Amino acid sequence: MRRLSGAAAAGIWLWLAQAALAAPGLYIVQMEGKPAIERAAEEARLARGGRAARAQRGWAKHAPAVRSEQEPLRQRARQQGALVLRSVGLAANALIVEMDEAQAQAFAQSPGVRRVSPAREYRMTMNEALPLHKVREAWTLAGGEDRVGEGVKIAIIDSGIEASHPAFQAEGMNPPEGFPRTDSAFDDAGVSGKIIVARSYVDYLRYYDPDPSIRDHVGHGTAAAMIAAGVPHEGPMGWVSGVAPKAWVGVYKVFGTPGWNETTTDAALLAALEDAIADGMDIVNLSLGSDIPSRVEDDVLAQAVQNAAEAGLIMVVSAGNSGPGWSTVASPATAPSALSVGAAANSRTFGSSVAFEGHDAVLALPGSGPVPEGTVSGPVSDVAALDENGLACNALPEASLSGRIALILRGECTFEAKLTNAKNAGAVGALVQAREESPDPITMAVGAADLPAMMISHDSGQSVRQWLSEGGALAASMNFSYGRVPQKAGRVAGFSARGPNVDLAIKPELTATGTDMWIATQTLDWDGAMWSEDGYTLADGTSFSAPLVAGAAAVVKAARPALDAPAVRSALVNTASAVPDEASAWIQKSGAGLLDLEAAVRTPLVSSEAALSFGAGAPGETVDGRAFAVRHTGELPEMYLVRVEARRGPAAPAASVEQVELEPGQEAEIRLSWPEAVWETGTLEGFVVFEGAASGAVLRIPYWRAVTLGEPAGFTIFDSVSMARRGSTVRDAVLFRLVDASGVPVRGKEVSVEELDSGRVLGISDYDSYAPGLYGVTVRLSFLSGANRFRIRAGDAEYVFTITGF
């Protein structure tokens, strides 16, 4: 058995992970000079005597200078036969160039060029939500349904739109002066009083695309636009509406046609963002991401998003769907001022269920065996009372489960064995509880077993056990038909990406509904992932949480036009309601909590910082305090009581004041600092809370800090190969990051990989220069068909992966 350590093998493969994510022949040439927005921000800072300032709209006068500085590179491209497709100069200073690798290498040596990189690829991060976020209450505060979002422009940078969908038929809405705007006469029919911009960027995608229009072939963009700003209307399952139905929508299509282009590129995204800024959009929604982000300073798109936020746009970005591992937030949600949004569970889902007398029904997944025609009912019996371990892996006493539904733990033996033993003991049905480490139910492969059976989640199983322990009989009915099932709302979805961010900031900052969402989609292309004949579908993903928050931002901005972008961001984040079981929740999973739009519209207090991270450091290390400003926007003076609520960790920071009295429009600087050295390792987190003495208004700002020895505690897996041709070499079969107990990436530790049966380890690649703490393992499979198992170890952490050769 061979073992290969990272220290010995780091140089075996000099292959960058980026190559697998890049569009061939398409490059981003970043210039040394600052883009127009950064120049405007610097000018504003100098005008304020060195104090921080935002660019707002002052960038326009700097744009010609940026274009002028790009001209020598344009000329050089023409001379060398390269094709400049587009230049951007507002949020980023770059050229989008089509050229070969040799030309790219030559460009990288040119004066004034900061970096030349292949255009990276980005993927989509794919009715009941409104009550969960108190949207109707917010509508009342904002002047009613007929006014919410009025005057606000939301850019949807996505897969286009089905403009004829009922969600966008807004009678009485008219475009603002200077609109609508299109790039093609073909798209003129797609604009209206609701859809005021129609632009397509499919020319910047990896391959030729047959449809250059804004028509949506996927459904993703239609869904995002509907969630953010769709008008109230009746759909097949009842009334449905977007969050800000009076907001205008700008469509910027960056995803193409399925079968031709499945991803987009940062070339398309930079061009779309440039135009959204120039078009005067107020809010930009980006429901997309690159799952393995570079450091922010090396990420051209994240930098562009940050600059757009500095220019006064509210940038709302989906956190990504690579959870539940730590440090999985996707780019460009990594941009410091992006409002990164995670996904929370809806109040209902759809599927089969089990109803318990006196309790809510729970979701259950039927096994692969025969499905009974009707419900299966009976009292529930815990098999643990019969075999001591609850696994039902051995024969059970005769007739011990007669007429009963058996509650069985998953594990140790096959589902077929469990169900056969339960049936032989007289059971009429079985509920199998998922394991704690894999808490969600799956479809069980039951073999020849014919006992009606379902799997329920670990949490649901624990609830059943609790109900049984309270005494008396517990009757259950197993319903195998598909229908609506209530569930606990607000918990963080398992797929939702977690922090800490690549710069150790708190990400996501906020969660919103992102599961079981009934939303608009396209009817144009049945090859599209979200196609539906009736124009509506059910979907999950942070892709759909983000536009919900973008719509919420439009409601706040329209209702309170005096608030600037950072203030709107604070209003949304710092008024969030507690997620379920918040005392045990982690801030790097849920941010400040669950969107509460009513509170966001009401809040009289906003903060310059929506979240406070103190980063990671060794025990005893001195940590600088963080200063931030709070501003009172109410009409009357208010006294705010200030306290720190520690949720986790052996120590807590202290606020510089215990109370602050503010006049309307007045600001106060608050400092959060650590009065004593912290020697115990772990995560320290909680909230700085401001509570109005008269109004009772509450503003909560999350804080986070990690005290760490840098010891590996686990692996975050970004990508893994499950099947490959036998005898083949599989480059980067697993891409992973080492993390400590707080989720902080770990570096400088020996990483080893060993073969457990067949196959051979060829190398461990260190990609830290591309993404913090990223490693890849390259293996060669056995020439025999079947499983090839490998184990990765670092300190006390280990991870086993299997590739099946065929």
Side-chain angles (χ1 to χ4, degrees):
M1 183 179 295
R2 296 178 65 253
R3 296 172 61 90
L4 192 58
S5 71
I12 288 182
W13 293 110
L14 300 178
W15 178 78
L16 281 177
Q18 185 173 2
L21 303 171
L26 194 60
Y27 290 84
I28 308 297
V29 180
Q30 287 181 259
M31 311 293 289
E32 290 283 2
K34 294 179 179 179
I37 289 171
E38 285 192 39
R39 299 182 192 202
E42 177 68 11
E43 183 178 70
R45 185 185 68 81
L46 293 174
R48 295 185 60 181
R51 291 176 295 161
R54 294 185 177 270
Q56 300 301 334
R57 302 295 182 187
W59 45 260
K61 67 179 181 180
H62 295 279
V66 175
R67 287 194 295 270
S68 178
E69 293 168 12
Q70 293 173 344
E71 187 57 32
L73 265 296
R74 286 175 170 275
Q75 293 179 9
R76 178 168 181 177
R78 286 192 290 267
Q79 292 168 359
Q80 294 186 354
L83 179 62
V84 178
L85 299 178
R86 173 76 185 255
S87 66
V88 293
L90 300 182
N93 184 1
L95 302 179
I96 300 169
V97 185
E98 194 173 84
M99 55 186 168
D100 60 32
E101 186 176 353
Q103 290 171 320
Q105 291 175 353
F107 258 79
Q109 307 303 316
S110 300
V113 172
R114 178 187 174 196
R115 181 187 294 113
V116 177
S117 55
R120 294 174 62 190
E121 293 191 350
Y122 293 76
R123 300 183 183 276
M124 303 172 195
T125 49
M126 293 187 68
N127 55 9
E128 295 288 328
L130 300 190
L132 291 178
H133 301 295
K134 300 183 181 177
V135 172
R136 285 184 176 273
E137 293 86 341
W139 284 1
T140 300
L141 291 175
E145 182 181 307
D146 292 337
R147 296 192 60 188
V148 285
E150 194 172 50
V152 179
K153 299 185 287 292
I154 305 175
I156 304 294
I157 300 180
D158 212 294
S159 62
I161 197 167
E162 184 156 303
S164 60
H165 197 284
F168 311 115
Q169 308 314 304
E171 293 184 10
M173 283 190 71
N174 296 303
E177 186 178 352
F179 293 85
R181 299 179 182 179
T182 66
D183 286 336
S184 166
F186 188 84
D187 287 326
D188 288 347
V191 292
S192 62
K194 179 70 172 178
I195 301 169
I196 62 171
V197 176
R199 302 188 191 276
S200 174
Y201 304 86
V202 297
D203 287 345
Y204 306 126
L205 301 185
R206 186 170 187 173
Y207 303 111
Y208 164 79
D209 201 278
D211 188 355
S213 77
I214 63 161
R215 293 188 305 174
D216 188 356
H217 287 258
V218 181
H220 199 267
T222 299
M226 176 260 157
I227 293 168
V231 301
H233 63 284
E234 286 290 327
M237 293 177 65
W239 182 90
V240 64
S241 175
V243 179
K246 286 297 180 179
W248 288 305
V249 172
V251 177
Y252 300 80
K253 178 179 173 179
V254 294
F255 288 97
T257 306
W260 299 78
N261 286 289
E262 305 294 341
T263 60
T264 188
T265 65
D266 49 10
L269 292 167
L270 287 171
L273 183 55
E274 177 98 349
D275 287 342
I277 295 170
D279 287 338
M281 292 288 122
D282 300 298
I283 299 164
V284 175
N285 184 82
L286 290 162
S287 290
L288 48 85
S290 174
D291 289 340
I292 308 177
S294 302
R295 292 170 176 83
V296 174
E297 60 269 23
D298 296 329
D299 188 330
V300 64
L301 183 59
Q303 288 179 327
V305 167
Q306 178 64 19
N307 285 331
E310 291 290 337
L313 281 74
I314 300 168
M315 302 298 299
V316 183
V317 189
S318 56
N321 298 338
S322 294
W326 292 113
S327 193
T328 48
V329 173
S331 168
T334 52
S337 295
L339 203 174
S340 307
V341 186
N346 211 326
S347 61
R348 55 93 179 100
T349 185
F350 294 88
S352 301
S353 63
V354 184
F356 298 93
E357 186 176 7
H359 303 279
D360 288 335
V362 301
L363 182 70
L365 292 187
S368 63
V371 175
E373 293 183 2
T375 60
V376 175
S377 301
V380 178
S381 286
D382 187 350
V383 170
L386 303 175
D387 67 357
E388 296 186 352
N389 60 21
L391 292 165
C393 288
N394 298 306
L396 301 171
E398 185 177 355
S400 59
L401 294 172
S402 181
R404 295 179 170 270
I405 295 174
L407 178 62
I408 303 171
L409 288 170
R410 180 184 179 185
E412 291 197 15
C413 61
T414 65
F415 295 120
E416 182 178 17
K418 294 174 185 290
L419 301 185
T420 299
N421 290 330
K423 181 180 180 181
N424 290 341
V428 295
L431 300 176
V432 178
Q433 180 187 2
R435 294 192 298 259
E436 184 174 8
E437 59 271 26
S438 300
D440 295 326
I442 64 169
T443 300
M444 299 175 288
V446 302
D450 59 1
L451 180 69
M454 293 174 154
M455 182 177 282
I456 58 177
S457 72
H458 175 77
D459 287 348
S460 295
Q462 292 300 94
S463 295
V464 174
R465 294 177 193 283
Q466 176 64 34
W467 299 334
L468 288 170
S469 71
E470 294 170 355
L474 178 65
S477 293
M478 302 166 65
N479 184 356
F480 289 82
S481 61
Y482 186 87
R484 179 188 180 115
V485 184
Q487 64 179 358
K488 190 173 186 178
R491 62 179 177 81
V492 178
F495 58 78
S496 186
R498 270 70 159 162
N501 195 31
V502 289
D503 62 357
L504 300 185
I506 294 173
K507 295 280 183 177
E509 290 97 343
L510 187 65
T511 61
T513 302
T515 72
D516 305 292
M517 296 187 73
W518 185 60
I519 47 182
T521 189
Q522 57 91 13
T523 61
L524 171 69
D525 189 342
W526 62 269
D527 279 335
M530 295 176 60
W531 175 85
S532 174
E533 187 174 9
D534 66 7
Y536 299 86
T537 190
L538 278 167
D540 301 332
T542 59
S543 277
F544 311 115
S545 307
L548 201 156
V549 173
V555 174
V556 174
K557 185 172 179 61
R560 304 182 62 184
L563 296 184
D564 61 9
V568 173
R569 181 171 179 249
S570 172
L572 293 167
V573 173
N574 301 133
T575 61
S577 60
V579 298
D581 305 318
E582 183 172 280
S584 60
W586 295 77
I587 280 174
Q588 292 286 10
K589 292 184 178 181
S590 60
L594 192 67
L595 171 69
D596 182 338
L597 184 51
E598 180 187 16
V601 173
R602 284 187 184 275
T603 184
L605 191 69
V606 292
S607 171
S608 62
E609 299 289 339
L612 300 166
S613 173
F614 292 89
E621 186 175 298
T622 301
V623 176
D624 293 334
R626 291 286 305 272
F628 59 99
V630 292
R631 175 160 55 97
H632 177 55
T633 65
E635 296 179 353
L636 298 174
E638 180 76 281
M639 172 73 77
Y640 291 95
L641 306 178
V642 185
R643 65 182 183 273
V644 173
E645 291 184 354
R647 293 298 176 91
R648 183 174 279 106
S656 56
V657 296
E658 293 183 352
Q659 61 184 40
V660 58
E661 187 170 1
L662 297 173
E663 297 291 326
Q666 186 180 3
E667 287 189 358
E669 183 173 287
I670 311 296
R671 189 169 184 83
L672 198 66
S673 58
W674 298 84
E676 298 179 359
V678 181
W679 294 94
E680 185 177 336
T681 61
T683 302
L684 294 77
E685 60 183 20
F687 292 88
V688 186
V689 180
F690 295 80
E691 184 172 0
S695 66
V698 174
L699 197 81
R700 304 191 316 156
I701 305 172
Y703 72 83
W704 177 87
R705 176 185 173 189
V707 179
T708 177
L709 294 172
E711 293 297 331
F715 295 84
T716 291
I717 307 300
F718 288 102
D719 194 18
S720 61
V721 176
S722 60
M723 299 185 70
R725 189 170 300 278
R726 57 185 179 173
S728 64
T729 295
V730 185
R731 280 185 171 178
D732 289 339
V734 175
L735 285 170
F736 66 91
R737 176 178 285 153
L738 284 176
V739 294
D740 70 5
S742 297
V744 176
V746 173
R747 295 279 301 150
K749 300 295 180 180
E750 182 180 25
V751 181
S752 64
V753 187
E754 60 181 332
E755 306 97 351
L756 294 182
D757 36 43
S758 56
R760 182 182 180 190
V761 179
L762 297 184
I764 304 173
S765 301
D766 186 341
Y767 295 135
D768 182 72
S769 61
Y770 171 73
L774 184 67
Y775 294 91
V777 176
T778 296
V779 300
R780 180 174 295 147
L781 302 191
S782 165
F783 284 96
L784 300 176
S785 299
N788 297 253
R789 295 188 306 140
F790 307 89
R791 177 163 51 208
I792 311 172
R793 281 180 169 161
D796 294 332
E798 66 175 52
Y799 175 77
V800 175
F801 66 96
T802 301
I803 304 176
T804 301
F806 61 89

